[in-house]
Amino acid sequence: MKAIELNMPDEVYKKLENLASQDHESVNAFALRKLEEFAHAFEDFKELERRAQRGNREKFESSMAKVPSVPPVPGDEL
């Protein structure tokens, strides 16, 4: 495991401390968990961007044109 030193404003640390205490965690454990969540979300977003590059508007519209225009099933209304 690697250790990093992170300098942050006191008010940011206080916010982290408060949030960590609400989750009954140390600031270190809370920050690590949130950094992991951020890293996963960032990777997921990058994957969506890569997949979007492969998208084709004409194929999408062609597929959507095949969907029948009927009222929704009861319970599925907006």
Side-chain angles (χ1 to χ4, degrees):
M1 182 176 286
K2 300 285 183 191
I4 62 170
E5 183 176 326
L6 182 63
N7 297 312
M8 68 180 73
D10 291 342
E11 59 271 10
V12 173
Y13 185 83
K14 287 289 184 190
K15 287 179 185 179
L16 275 177
E17 198 172 41
N18 184 36
L19 292 167
S21 69
Q22 291 176 24
D23 281 0
H24 308 289
E25 290 184 297
S26 68
V27 172
N28 188 68
F30 180 81
L32 177 59
R33 184 167 53 91
K34 291 302 174 183
L35 283 170
E36 288 173 340
E37 289 173 6
F38 174 78
H40 287 294
F42 190 81
E43 289 172 341
D44 291 347
F45 183 78
K46 287 296 186 186
E47 175 60 20
L48 288 174
E49 283 184 326
R50 281 191 289 276
R51 291 175 66 185
Q53 293 297 318
R54 296 192 323 253
N56 181 302
R57 185 69 179 188
E58 289 176 3
K59 287 182 181 179
F60 170 74
E61 289 179 358
S62 173
S63 295
M64 293 305 291
K66 296 175 186 176
V67 177
S69 180
V70 296
V73 176
D76 280 351
E77 306 90 352
L78 291 177

